[in-house]
Amino acid sequence: MISTVYAVLFYVATLMMVVGTGMKVLKYARTSAPLKIPVSPAPRTKRGVWFRMAREVVLFESLFKSNKWIWLFAYLFHFGMLLVLLRHFRYFQMEIWWWVELVQPFGKYASFAMLAGLIGLLIRRIFQQRIRYISAPSDYLMLALLLLIAVSGTMMTFVSKVDIISVKAFMLGLLRFRIETMPVEPVLLIHLGSVALLMIIFPISKLMHAPGLFFSPSRTQVDNAREFRHLSAWAAQLPDLPEGIPAPEEKK
Amino acid sequence: MAPLDNNEPRKIGDPLKIPQIECGAMADTNTFAAAPEHNEPLGFPGELLENWKEVAIAKIGELADKNRAFRVYLDTCVKCGACTDKCHYFLGTGDPKNMPVARQDLLRSVYRRYYTFAGKYFPWLVGARDLTKEVLDEWYTYYHQCSQCRRCSVACPYGIDTAEISMAAREVLDSVGMGQKYCNEIIAKLKKTGNNLGMNPKALRATLEDLEEDLEDETGIAVKIPLDVKGADILLITPSADFFAEPHIDGLLGYAKVFHAAGVSWTISSYASEAANFGMFIGSYENMREVSWRIRQAAKDLGVKRIVFGECGHAWRVGYSFLNTLAGPFDFLDQNYPIPQHIMEFTSDAIDDGLLKIDKSRNDEFVMTFHDSCNVARGSAMGRQEGGQFDLPRKVLKAVCNHYHDMERDTIRENTFCCGGGGGLLTDDLMDLRIKGAKPRMNALQQVTEDHGVTHMAAICAICKTQFSKVMPKFGYEMDNIMSVHQLVANAVILDGQEDEADQAKAEETP
Ligand code: HEM
Ligand code: SF4
Ligand code: SF4
Ligand code: SF4
């Protein structure tokens, strides 16, 4: 019974995340940018923009320059999470890829980095006057949800171990559209349930910042407006202005 | 304590010092509303529409469909807070709604309510709110406390640009008849006379002739400031402030000397006698395009080969980043030169080519620093190298004066502070905001005055210059401590055949 509920939940969550995010991304891609608005330091070439974006994604460069504390916690959290996610590949593979094996020992402890980052961000959000001012309930809840995921996950790794073999069987089953029985452990149910919730809200929340970054005109545009004429689709439809707009009046 | 608007010089402080939050500190600072005769020529309703709510909501949807920046920026902010201490208006006022992300949220909260799932069904959860007249008034207040300087965009991990949100918000306000007097009156004036001042061609010609006389008195040489000369090589597009305000005029004299020394033929146009484009401040693509189109028209009518822009911050942003889009393609101009070109690029090339004879010592009484005008710094570029918009003005300055010191790194170049008067806020009804907004820049200046004895600051933006000449006296400086870069060029350049006292003195000394 619980296995069926979770199986359905995961199918729904995956669908919502993939389709929802896909639709949003498509919308971003189709919305035109009427003007060239790259912000300094703006690269003059496409290659330069690739480089800039790589630095933003891999190093959070702008954030590093603008706020070291937020950068530190954000970095711990995101790259902790990345390693943890990579480690999770093993639950979906019959034959585990070599690089997933390689990540394994780091991934195990990366969850602490992730936790530290999340806690740091939460503390800032609660105690930093300016950040508290701009926070809505959803901003706290998002951190709470991620904390729940991270804490329950870490607990399973280090405190109350679950039957990994049957979890893996359940996941592999999902990939093959078969519902296997999963172990009914409260911690596991909380972990998987909150992950599914995160996937569901992904496209309708600020988590859209991940794809959004790649559509931010101030970061992704090449600074070459003088060399190449940039014209958006709707602006190209505007009628030419008349040749002789009224000239300034000559006063006697 | 002395209130901010008296003449007590401010004490030196850390330009980056973050104030305590003071809710509502600037809630009552409002700029004058536009009258129907200011709104209508721009294609906006004269007065607040009866169905303003529907119109405003529809306009937000339209903008989200037409402008990727607007849509993506509204969606992607994670409320990390990195931008909260980056706005000079927040630093100067402590009003939390002047924190960039809070400024965006004024509009984002409404966008969420009507256009997102979460905001439609769980408004309290994501801070979404209904559009009411109070909200509209709040927009009017705080979107007119943003100079669209983009300092926040540099700081944001996603480059979220509050200037884009501000421009969009002003467009929404305009679309329901809540325009701002200062901007809309000026655009209406430009449409009628060709410049923001409403100066007609006759008056302009008389002014330029006076300036020519001044130049001849000073140098003994007939340096021309041509107007409407068909077939000239270069069309100079410069802010109309260059024709009448100080220290702007001295900059214009500088361009004239450089053109003279370089031996090029050039002209000003009475039809497009304005570089400024206030269409940008109100976020109106159509108005911005119409204003830009005059430049294309003038270039065609006069049959010039090149377009050169004078010292003006947002004009250069429109010139460099938008002109090709709005009024291009410029296939009828000489493709061997950048279109358009900045006077700083021209002068820099002239220096490299050895066309200018310079006596730096003529600027020895000044110890200079440079204010990177934010629209030039963050919204445009110069030259062929990345960062040319920072390096060329410094290079020119250092070529014409002996004493130069930069201000603190976090307050210049891409991190420069706005002067506090940009983005359509250079109006007397916002004087209190302008003084408070200038504080970070002024504090940075006071630091270099203290450390290096800097006496003067140069800028390349008409608005910056006007703003500084007004606010500098509040911070212990004189009005004329702000200078045009080309004013210093004008001081140092010695034209061929010019009687030079220093040279003469030397000639007399050497037997
Ligand atoms: C391209 C990938 C990504 C990039 C470049 C990126 C970058 C960032 C940056 C720079 C911040 C701001 C600093 C902070 O407050 O932590 C941030 C915040 C955040 N990110 Fe990401 N991120 C990415 C992917 C993700 C993903 C996949 C998730 C979700 C599972 C996520 C969850 C979050 C959350 C919840 C916050 C807000 C933290 C807070 O409340 O302070 N990010 N991200
Ligand atoms: S654009 Fe400039 S004035 Fe506007 S919010 Fe950002 S920093 Fe402040
Ligand atoms: S820095 Fe960017 S993402 Fe962070 S709060 Fe400001 S606008 Fe939002
Ligand atoms: S006036 Fe100068 S500093 Fe201020 S917004 Fe314009 S360019 Fe920026």
Side-chain angles (χ1 to χ4, degrees), chain A residues 226, chain B residues 236 251 255 258-259 308-312 316 341-352 356 370-371 373 376 381-383 388-398 400 458-461 465 483-489:
Chain A
R226 279 197 297 195
Chain B
L236 177 77
Y255 321 150
V258 171
F259 285 140
V308 172
F309 270 66
E311 298 180 359
C312 181
W316 182 239
Q341 196 175 23
H342 195 281
I343 184 71
M344 207 61 70
E345 295 176 311
F346 187 94
T347 303
S348 165
D349 285 349
I351 291 172
D352 289 345
L356 303 182
F370 179 64
H371 164 73
S373 297
V376 176
M382 283 179 200
Q389 72 270 38
F390 312 125
D391 298 332
L392 290 194
R394 287 177 171 77
K395 168 190 154 185
V396 169
L397 274 173
K398 287 176 186 165
V400 299
I460 47 173
C461 168
K465 293 173 200 168
M483 299 177 79
S484 300
V485 170
H486 275 80
Q487 177 179 1
L488 291 139
V489 174

Side-chain angles (χ1 to χ4, degrees), chain A residues 216-237:
Chain A
S216 166
S218 46
R219 288 287 144 79
T220 55
Q221 285 182 340
V222 185
D223 183 15
N224 59 5
R226 279 197 297 195
E227 291 79 22
F228 300 96
R229 183 160 188 238
H230 170 92
L231 195 63
S232 69
W234 64 262
Q237 303 299 319

Side-chain angles (χ1 to χ4, degrees), chain A residues 24 27-29 31-32 34-40 42-44 56 62-63 66 70 125 129-131 133-134 136-139 141 204 206 208-209 212-213 215-219 223 225-226 228-231 234-235 238-243 245-251, chain B residues 18 20-21 64-68 71-73 75-80 82 84 86 96-97 99 117 124-125 150 153-156 158-159 164 192-193 202 270-271 285 288-289 293 297 317 320-322 324-325 328-329 338-340 345 377-378 381-386 389:
Chain A
K24 278 254 166 108
K27 188 95 192 167
Y28 293 163
T31 307
S32 55
L35 293 166
K36 276 277 182 142
I37 56 167
V39 75
S40 294
R44 299 277 183 98
E56 291 295 349
S62 298
L63 187 59
S66 59
I70 303 180
R125 202 170 277 293
Q129 193 191 29
R130 298 191 308 280
I131 304 185
Y133 181 88
I134 57 169
S138 58
D139 298 313
L141 289 175
I204 53 170
K206 65 177 184 180
M208 284 304 289
H209 67 282
L213 171 61
F215 293 92
S216 166
S218 46
R219 288 287 144 79
D223 183 15
R226 279 197 297 195
F228 300 96
R229 183 160 188 238
H230 170 92
L231 195 63
W234 64 262
L238 293 176
D240 266 10
L241 288 166
E243 279 287 304
I245 324 170
E249 322 150 349
E250 274 279 357
K251 285 222 185 89
Chain B
I18 307 169
Q20 285 292 307
I21 280 182
D65 284 335
K66 278 168 90 173
N67 186 349
R68 180 187 293 173
R71 175 180 290 279
V72 172
Y73 294 161
D75 275 0
T76 42
C77 172
V78 296
K79 312 293 170 76
C80 70
T84 52
K86 300 299 183 284
K97 287 184 180 147
M99 299 190 297
F117 176 87
W124 51 274
L125 192 63
R150 312 182 90 205
S153 175
V154 172
C156 174
Y158 322 112
E164 288 293 311
K192 238 169 114 192
T193 58
K202 265 232 171 86
S270 64
Y271 176 68
Y285 190 95
M288 191 159 46
R289 179 166 176 256
W293 201 266
Q297 185 80 35
R317 183 173 183 203
Y320 177 88
S321 294
F322 306 159
N324 200 2
T325 298
I339 306 166
E345 295 176 311
R378 287 186 282 262
M382 283 179 200
R384 278 167 291 276
Q385 302 298 319
E386 265 162 41
Q389 72 270 38

Side-chain angles (χ1 to χ4, degrees), chain B residues 97-150:
Chain B
K97 287 184 180 147
N98 278 329
M99 299 190 297
V101 44
R103 198 189 307 286
Q104 300 156 23
D105 275 348
L106 299 175
L107 197 144
R108 183 179 286 118
S109 55
V110 172
Y111 166 80
R112 283 200 170 150
R113 184 75 183 96
Y114 298 98
Y115 289 101
T116 68
F117 176 87
K120 274 181 197 158
Y121 301 103
F122 308 99
W124 51 274
L125 192 63
V126 293
R129 56 179 183 165
D130 289 325
L131 180 57
T132 61
K133 184 65 177 36
E134 285 72 47
V135 170
L136 205 65
D137 289 337
E138 194 181 36
W139 287 357
Y140 188 82
T141 305
Y142 288 102
Y143 286 118
H144 289 109
Q145 296 190 20
C146 168
S147 58
Q148 308 172 340
C149 75
R150 312 182 90 205

Side-chain angles (χ1 to χ4, degrees), chain A residues 56-58 60 63 70-71 73-75 77-79 81 85 118 121-122 125 131 139-140 142-143 146 198 202 206-207 209-211 213-214, chain B residues 78-81 157-158:
Chain A
E56 291 295 349
V57 172
V58 179
F60 294 3
L63 187 59
I70 303 180
W71 178 86
F73 295 134
Y75 211 75
F77 157 51
H78 282 88
F79 284 84
M81 182 172 66
L85 276 176
L118 282 169
L121 288 171
L122 188 61
R125 202 170 277 293
I131 304 185
D139 298 313
Y140 297 102
M142 186 65 77
L143 288 174
L146 281 157
L198 186 79
F202 195 96
K206 65 177 184 180
L207 296 180
H209 67 282
L213 171 61
F214 300 94
Chain B
V78 296
K79 312 293 170 76
C80 70
Y158 322 112

